[in-house]
Amino acid sequence: MTHKEKTPAPISIVVRAADPVSLQGAEVLLRRSDGTVLLPADQVARADVVLVLANEVTEETMSWMEEASTVSANPEMRIVLVADRISRSRLARAVRHGLVSVLPRAHTGFPEIVQAVLSSRTGSAQMPGELLRLLIEELRTLLRDPTGSILPGGFEGREVEVLRLLAEGLDTTEIAAKLNYSERTIKNIIFAVTRRLNLRNRTHAVAYAMRIGAL
């Protein structure tokens, strides 16, 4: 007696893009692809994969990845990035939040993007040699000076910047203007800190950071 192999469940995907044309194009093509189910952005918590499209990875792009990591109800959530430029520090941060593959936007077609998304389920990762070298250099820097990027209590440098300005009495709009971030990015940073450290609110986060010497 033979048994039919169980067909794997479709991979649920949320797409975030820096421009509406790329977003719409990717969504149309993903809807036509076998083995994938497209979710709206507000359902990112349910996604198996978050596909991020950008020419250059900015703080706004990072906020999409960090938000996905923070709200995800799926411990196996993966991020596939299609971009031409990303800094070493942002690459390391993105990996912490679930990035597994980086594809060069200028030289990658849609079939390669879909394959990277499908392969991410089995733990497959793709990264250009140059980016892999940058990631290794960042790891070496952290090993030589563990406090260089991660501060007491597990805070990142920009998280401390935001908490310090909160402690000075600035509101979200003022902090965003001062740090040249969007208000959404500031809110995501605060939310990520409170959730990760199990803190009640932004006031509790500031008090905690002061108590452990991060501020």
Side-chain angles (χ1 to χ4, degrees):
M1 182 177 177
T2 60
H3 297 276
K4 292 183 178 180
E5 291 186 5
K6 186 176 179 181
T7 302
I11 294 179
S12 56
I13 305 170
V14 164
V15 182
R16 301 300 302 264
D19 64 274
V21 174
S22 296
L23 176 64
Q24 292 168 11
E27 288 182 339
V28 167
L29 291 169
L30 282 169
R31 287 192 185 98
R32 299 174 181 170
S33 299
D34 294 331
T36 63
V37 172
L38 187 65
L39 299 178
D42 61 4
Q43 294 186 30
V44 68
R46 295 176 43 213
D48 297 314
V49 176
V50 177
L51 173 62
V52 178
L53 307 170
N55 289 323
E56 180 175 6
V57 175
T58 64
E59 279 302 316
E60 195 71 16
T61 319
M62 290 301 308
S63 75
W64 300 339
M65 301 189 218
E66 291 168 1
E67 178 186 16
S69 174
T70 300
V71 306
S72 179
N74 180 1
E76 300 301 320
M77 188 275 296
R78 299 289 183 262
I79 296 172
V80 173
L81 172 66
V82 183
D84 286 324
R85 295 182 298 279
I86 182 171
S87 68
R88 189 177 85 177
S89 61
R90 285 176 179 158
L91 177 62
R93 281 167 54 197
V95 169
R96 288 182 59 199
H97 292 290
L99 178 69
V100 294
S101 292
V102 181
L103 307 175
R105 185 165 182 172
H107 306 291
T108 302
F110 191 75
E112 290 82 12
I113 295 174
V114 173
Q115 185 56 50
V117 167
L118 295 174
S119 298
S120 68
R121 166 177 279 172
T122 59
S124 176
Q126 299 181 48
M127 194 167 295
E130 175 65 16
L131 290 186
L132 188 58
R133 183 183 64 79
L134 292 178
L135 192 59
I136 291 171
E137 288 179 356
E138 182 70 9
L139 177 59
R140 285 174 176 166
T141 299
L142 285 174
L143 290 173
R144 286 195 300 267
D145 180 12
T147 64
S149 297
I150 305 299
L151 300 170
F155 288 109
E156 294 181 0
R158 70 177 194 151
E159 292 174 342
V160 171
E161 286 182 323
V162 170
L163 293 176
R164 182 176 293 115
L165 293 174
L166 282 174
E168 293 175 3
L170 277 67
D171 62 21
T172 302
T173 302
E174 292 168 330
I175 294 172
K178 192 173 185 66
L179 297 180
N180 198 28
Y181 293 164
S182 70
E183 290 187 43
R184 181 180 180 86
T185 296
I186 300 301
K187 291 176 181 177
N188 285 341
I189 291 171
I190 296 169
F191 180 73
V193 168
T194 54
R195 176 163 175 159
R196 187 177 74 244
L197 299 176
N198 197 28
L199 303 170
R200 293 186 298 276
N201 49 44
R202 57 182 62 190
T203 302
H204 190 192
V206 169
Y208 175 79
M210 286 180 172
R211 180 165 59 83
I212 66 170
L215 291 182

